[in-house]
Amino acid sequence: MLSRHALALTVTAVLLGGCGFGGGAPHGGRGTPPAHSSQSGSAAPSGGTPREAAPARPWNTHPSSVAALGDSITRGFDACKPVSDCPDVSWATGGRQQVDSVSTRLGAASSWNVARSGAHVADLPDQARAAAAHHPAMVTVLIGANDACAADTGTMTSVADFRASFDSTLSYLHRTLPTTQVLVASIPDLQRLWSVGKANPLGREVWKLGLCPTMLDDPTSDSPAATQRRTAVRDRVQAYNTVLGQVCATYQRCRYDGGAVFAYRFDTSDLSDWDWFHPNPQGESQLARIMAAVAGRPATATS
């Protein structure tokens, strides 16, 4: 069990980190011809013959550099010690062998982590501008947990606002870095994290301090109100994930995980010993495995 001092540090972590779950050469790798918006597939003209299948969407499975956008998950918050980011274990750009990050698995020579603990989707455009300064060959995005982790369900980020911020970010990236590809992760299932972490007594005490209130308040309650609140959060996360997939599909050099991260069933061995909510190094490694598999698929017409 943690000491009182360690628990006090974790309190600070809760307040500073939010609920969301580098360095190197200044230029990214070579790209393919400039990107354009695209729609998958095409219908046959009325009375005409079917059009040819859509060409493969450009995708380099071995980008020379990676920049990571997102929140505390991508910063490795609470993964190594309380009150601290630990970008070395980041699923996207971390260098620790235990994690084997996406950038490592894909063979990138350079990486930058511009994510920020506590970030919301509205912060993504600023992160994209910071990433663009490095001219990365690939940008990863995992964002949205903090938008659902609000004081109450009425103050969660609206789906329309979420879409506007995310679309603005992708538009900027594809306009500014036309040969850079974007890898988008779905938001984890926050209700799954609650269902796993609630079994830990100390975790429940930490959650009372304000970690993701919409999902984690009254963690052992099965009252209709508590159940309805958690369901509303899960529904909102699923709506955000739908937006991520829809918006990504309109850009030729964007690839979404199809909900793979959301579907991953985290267990206690994947969660931080400090807050039983953020991924620990093993959890980060699982995210890296999932997203590297998505990024490593050869280009197809529907990629």
Side-chain angles (χ1 to χ4, degrees):
M1 180 174 291
L2 296 179
S3 67
R4 291 185 178 180
H5 177 65
L7 181 56
L9 291 177
T10 307
V11 172
T12 307
V14 168
L15 298 177
L16 294 180
C19 89
F21 301 173
H27 295 290
R30 298 185 183 89
T32 46
H36 301 281
S37 294
S38 66
Q39 303 292 332
S40 297
S42 21
S46 178
T49 57
R51 297 175 182 172
E52 293 182 2
R57 296 161 68 91
W59 192 261
N60 178 8
T61 58
H62 298 290
S64 61
S65 57
V66 175
L69 281 55
D71 54 28
S72 53
I73 299 176
T74 301
R75 291 296 298 174
F77 184 79
D78 266 2
C80 302
K81 57 183 180 179
V83 203
S84 300
D85 289 346
C86 189
D88 196 38
V89 301
S90 169
W91 67 272
T93 58
R96 193 171 296 186
Q97 185 176 8
Q98 173 189 8
V99 172
D100 199 12
S101 67
V102 166
S103 61
T104 300
R105 294 175 193 236
L106 299 184
S110 304
S111 63
W112 306 271
N113 191 323
V114 299
R116 182 178 63 80
S117 291
H120 293 70
V121 70
D123 300 309
L124 212 54
D126 284 343
Q127 292 186 18
R129 284 187 281 273
H134 299 290
H135 300 277
M138 175 185 283
V139 171
T140 67
V141 181
L142 199 175
I143 196 75
N146 289 314
D147 294 274
C149 286
D152 54 64
T153 55
T155 56
M156 294 187 294
T157 301
S158 72
V159 176
D161 286 348
F162 189 93
R163 181 184 294 273
S165 293
F166 185 61
D167 190 31
S168 174
T169 301
L170 287 199
S171 177
Y172 169 80
L173 287 172
H174 282 76
R175 183 174 67 253
T176 307
L177 305 171
T179 61
T180 295
Q181 54 201 34
V182 182
L183 178 68
V184 181
S186 52
I187 305 160
D189 186 349
L190 303 183
Q191 190 170 40
R192 171 68 184 179
L193 298 178
W194 158 79
S195 70
V196 172
K198 68 176 182 176
N200 188 289
L202 186 53
R204 295 197 300 269
E205 291 302 310
V206 172
W207 292 357
K208 290 179 182 178
L209 302 172
L211 184 61
C212 196
T214 45
M215 179 58 69
L216 303 182
D217 272 1
D218 300 320
T220 60
S221 174
D222 58 359
S223 69
T227 300
Q228 183 177 20
R229 169 171 51 81
R230 295 183 199 114
T231 299
V233 175
R234 191 174 195 269
D235 289 347
R236 185 61 56 92
V237 167
Q238 289 180 301
Y240 293 160
N241 283 337
T242 296
V243 167
L244 295 174
Q246 289 174 341
V247 174
C248 182
T250 66
Y251 292 93
Q252 200 172 36
R253 284 179 173 79
C254 186
R255 184 174 285 190
Y256 175 58
D257 75 359
V261 168
F262 179 85
Y264 177 68
R265 296 182 64 78
F266 285 91
D267 61 34
T268 53
S269 66
D270 297 318
L271 301 183
S272 166
D273 288 338
W274 305 106
D275 63 28
W276 291 271
F277 191 64
H278 288 85
N280 62 17
Q282 177 172 309
E284 294 279 348
S285 181
Q286 292 292 353
L287 294 175
R289 174 186 59 79
I290 292 167
M291 294 309 298
V294 176
R297 292 198 301 264
T300 67
T302 56
S303 290

